[in-house]
Amino acid sequence: MALSDLNPVERNEEGIAAVLGILKQRLGERFQTGQAIRSQHAHTTTYIPTQAPDGVAFPETTAEVQDIVRACAAHRVPVIAFGVGSSLEGHTNAPGGGISVDTSRMNRILAVNPQDLDCTVEPGVTREDLNRHLRDTGLFFPIDPGANASLGGMAATRASGTNAVRYGTMRENVLSLTAVMADGETVTTGKRAKKSSAGYDLTRLLVGSEGTLGIITSLTLKLQGIPQAISGGVCPFPSVEAACNAVIATIQMGIPVARIELVNALQMRAMKTYSKLDYPESPCLFVEFHGSDAGVAEQAETFGMIAEENGGGPFLWTSVAEERTKLWKARHDAYWSSLTLRPGAKGLSTDVCVPISRFAECVTETEADITEMGLIAPIVGHAGDGNFHVLVLMDVNDPKEIALSEKFVARLNMRAIAMDGTCTGEHGIGQGKIGFLRSELGHGVDIMRTIKQALDPLDIMNPGKILPGAGH
């Protein structure tokens, strides 16, 4: 979609002026209106222009979030939740101005229940913070989107990452949450029981709602036991198609792989330079297994045979933690390594997800598009669940390059949807993918709009996101 298609949100100058005065009086130095801090709390990760809020609030309690939302509701002023700003589709932009609610000071771990394998945290706790806290308990939180994102933000965007093939996404790992809704009231969506048949699933409604229905103020999360043993390594393949076919065979054989990540040849070239990896400049799979000593060895050997049958190998694996850490550090640094392929360019990061049986076809056709359009665009993928990312490197000051990149993204999104997949496996809709939601869900978009209007009739909760405007 073109930037001109972004949903416009009308500014309420009088209401904004009133709320700025109210929040300055109530929060003092924890309410900031300087240009620099406002710009930092808008979206700057990709080429979508920054649309700064009018003020940034730093609440420390749920009650303060309620006060902020009630003030904004009384004066019809937008409220935009902010975690650490690592989202990729314009989620934190403020197209109609308003107040950014930065939850970074709500960073307490409220409870850890080792026997029940769960914990309750405030939204500003990051995944790395939580796992450091859990280290001595023998437990960990497995969802790993790469960036050290806040758990509230991860829930709001239904994040996942490299471990999703084994442990699922945030959708499967949030037991319940508390949120401040558009009227300033709080809702707690469930208890700590591992399952429930009690009414509508409000937890799943709010997980992935991108701050358009409420602001999350606490979460109860599932935890996992730290595996007894971990093995992993890198396996080269002659083509992306061969690597994808090995992934499909691995999943269909029921091998309990924890991570299986695709890196195409261009991305491997960048990784070799940036992260000093000594692997062939060809498509590769980064693979990891969790379990017992015997189990992870057996799984690694079985995967090696599958790779060989698909023309890949040798699969060099290790159970040495330091060696595995280097590999996954390189994988998590894929974004930064990609930028070295075209110094000075900015990256447009996009993702799609398709059924695993269509994964090889979708990636192969996408690579052909990249070649045909003359783009520089490396690919990485959470191959085990059919999700992959493309980083289009472009000159954001060149309208022709922007138009070409948007054309490529549109073709990619529609290809995935045509394969019974989705235009976003984990980035979310935000502003960037609004134009594709109706193609994917049809009348479902109207049902979403009905829910939004019922819960947020004034449209103050992160307006201009997810739901297409008239004409889409």
Side-chain angles (χ1 to χ4, degrees):
M1 71 177 284
L3 292 181
S4 58
D5 292 334
L6 296 179
N7 282 356
V9 178
E10 186 176 349
R11 283 183 62 85
N12 175 6
E13 298 290 357
E14 184 178 342
I16 289 170
V19 169
L20 292 180
I22 291 168
L23 296 183
K24 186 63 177 176
Q25 183 178 25
R26 291 184 183 176
L27 296 174
E29 292 303 309
R30 290 189 291 116
F31 184 67
Q32 297 290 323
T33 56
Q35 180 62 49
I37 197 166
R38 290 191 293 115
S39 295
Q40 290 166 8
H41 282 75
H43 183 75
T44 57
T45 310
T46 64
Y47 78 115
I48 299 174
T50 294
Q51 296 169 311
D54 294 281
V56 181
F58 294 87
E60 296 179 351
T61 65
T62 296
E64 287 187 338
V65 175
Q66 289 181 283
D67 285 344
I68 293 165
V69 172
R70 285 172 177 152
C72 289
H75 295 277
R76 301 193 69 149
V77 170
V79 184
I80 304 98
F82 186 93
V84 297
S86 58
S87 57
L88 294 164
E89 295 291 349
H91 297 91
T92 61
N93 258 345
I99 306 303
S100 174
V101 180
D102 185 317
T103 60
S104 60
R105 297 193 183 195
M106 299 179 69
N107 60 358
R108 290 170 294 183
I109 297 170
L110 302 175
V112 176
N113 306 292
Q115 291 180 317
D116 296 320
L117 277 75
D118 69 45
C119 68
T120 300
V121 302
E122 290 185 323
V125 176
T126 69
R127 63 176 186 85
E128 290 182 5
D129 290 339
L130 178 57
N131 280 324
R132 276 192 292 269
H133 183 86
L134 294 171
R135 190 174 298 154
D136 294 337
T137 69
L139 303 174
F140 79 115
F141 182 69
I143 310 305
D144 177 10
N148 186 25
S150 69
L151 292 162
M154 287 169 62
T157 55
R158 202 184 296 128
S160 55
T162 58
N163 279 323
V165 63
R166 179 176 178 120
Y167 298 106
T169 71
M170 288 300 284
R171 181 181 64 187
E172 292 80 31
N173 286 277
V174 179
L175 288 171
S176 67
L177 58 83
T178 298
V180 174
M181 307 303 284
D183 59 359
E185 295 298 316
T186 61
V187 60
T188 298
T189 62
K191 302 297 185 181
R192 290 197 298 118
K194 289 296 187 287
K195 61 181 181 180
S196 171
S197 295
Y200 297 149
D201 192 342
L202 299 180
T203 304
R204 243 52 59 187
L205 175 63
L206 288 168
V207 171
S209 63
E210 301 181 13
T212 62
L213 301 179
I215 297 178
I216 296 169
T217 57
S218 73
L219 308 100
T220 297
L221 305 169
K222 292 182 183 178
L223 302 177
Q224 302 287 335
I226 295 174
Q228 175 192 353
I230 299 175
S231 70
V234 177
C235 186
F237 287 84
S239 67
V240 162
E241 184 175 13
C244 293
N245 287 334
V247 172
I248 293 169
T250 300
I251 299 301
Q252 290 178 340
M253 283 187 65
I255 297 173
V257 61
R259 296 174 172 178
I260 185 163
E261 298 285 296
L262 172 69
V263 173
N264 77 343
L266 182 60
Q267 182 65 69
M268 182 53 76
R269 180 196 307 171
M271 284 182 171
K272 282 169 63 72
T273 301
Y274 186 85
S275 299
K276 307 296 188 290
L277 295 184
D278 186 21
Y279 290 98
E281 196 173 294
S282 67
C284 289
L285 292 177
F286 286 49
V287 189
E288 188 170 276
F289 305 96
H290 297 177
S292 66
D293 290 321
V296 298
E298 180 182 2
Q299 292 158 20
E301 290 168 5
T302 303
F303 172 78
M305 290 187 286
I306 292 173
E308 187 176 357
E309 290 171 1
N310 285 276
F315 176 44
L316 304 175
W317 62 276
T318 179
S319 57
V320 177
E322 291 77 12
E323 295 177 12
R324 288 187 294 98
T325 298
K326 181 181 179 181
L327 294 179
W328 291 108
K329 179 70 164 59
R331 169 59 186 88
H332 287 322
D333 285 346
Y335 176 88
W336 305 109
S337 67
S338 296
L339 297 180
T340 65
L341 295 169
R342 189 180 177 186
K346 200 162 188 177
L348 188 169
S349 181
T350 191
D351 83 312
V352 296
C353 188
V354 295
I356 192 71
S357 61
R358 306 297 298 272
F359 187 65
E361 179 185 3
C362 193
V363 175
T364 301
E365 289 185 14
T366 301
E367 282 204 319
D369 261 5
I370 292 169
T371 300
E372 178 186 331
M373 294 184 175
L375 298 171
I376 300 175
I379 293 175
V380 297
H382 309 313
D385 50 21
N387 182 201
F388 68 95
H389 305 257
V390 186
L391 188 71
V392 184
L393 299 172
M394 63 179 181
D395 179 354
V396 296
N397 296 312
D398 186 337
K400 291 182 179 179
E401 285 201 26
I402 291 176
L404 183 64
S405 299
E406 289 179 338
K407 179 181 178 181
F408 165 78
V409 171
R411 288 175 62 168
L412 172 59
N413 289 338
M414 297 308 293
R415 175 182 300 118
I417 291 169
M419 292 182 176
D420 210 16
T422 174
C423 66
T424 175
E426 59 186 19
H427 286 185
I429 296 295
Q431 292 177 305
K433 297 207 173 187
I434 283 178
F436 305 99
L437 194 61
R438 188 169 291 279
S439 296
E440 181 172 327
L441 297 177
H443 180 55
V445 172
D446 301 315
I447 303 300
M448 291 182 186
R449 182 174 285 108
T450 300
I451 294 170
K452 167 72 168 171
Q453 290 172 343
L455 296 179
D456 181 19
L458 301 179
D459 193 24
I460 63 168
M461 305 303 288
N462 208 10
K465 317 296 169 59
I466 299 185
L467 297 173
H472 290 294

